Amino acid sequence: MYPQFQYFLEAYCLPGLEEDEFWAAIEEFEKNENQEVRQSLLTEVQTILKNGDLTVAKKMIQEHGNRQFSANETITWLHHIEKKLT
């Protein structure tokens, strides 16, 4: 459903990351990915927020990012990603 978000979670949010490193994963993503890929992730994150797909995002974070986030943590983290990419 959100392939770029899934890619970001699988490639940059590895299971061994500490909590602060997990939040900073977007910085590594920005450094390593081209503008098209970064824009694609931004668009998907904005779509998730706009459509209120928090259940989907939370499930993806759990399955592909190996983290358990509450609804509030999910929203906060998505806004963090959005802010970093704009």
Side-chain angles (χ1 to χ4, degrees):
M1 178 173 247
Y2 298 107
Q4 198 61 55
F5 186 55
Q6 180 176 334
Y7 165 72
F8 168 70
L9 292 168
E10 290 174 347
Y12 292 91
C13 300
L14 305 172
L17 291 180
E18 298 295 327
E19 186 175 338
D20 60 330
E21 293 173 314
F22 187 78
W23 281 76
I26 190 63
E27 293 166 11
E28 193 67 27
F29 176 84
E30 280 186 293
K31 234 180 357 180
N32 294 326
E33 301 296 339
N34 66 43
Q35 180 61 31
E36 183 179 323
V37 173
R38 293 191 310 263
Q39 183 61 46
S40 181
L41 177 60
L42 175 60
T43 300
E44 287 185 11
V45 166
Q46 289 173 330
T47 300
I48 291 168
L49 290 166
K50 179 182 173 195
N51 294 341
D53 285 341
L54 299 178
T55 303
V56 171
K58 189 176 167 189
K59 184 176 179 183
M60 289 180 74
I61 292 166
Q62 180 180 353
E63 289 179 8
H64 304 288
N66 300 300
R67 295 290 190 282
Q68 293 279 3
F69 275 8
S70 68
N72 286 337
E73 288 172 319
T74 301
I75 292 168
T76 301
W77 193 59
L78 291 171
H79 282 296
H80 172 76
I81 293 171
E82 180 183 36
K83 181 180 176 185
K84 291 287 189 177
L85 291 175
T86 52

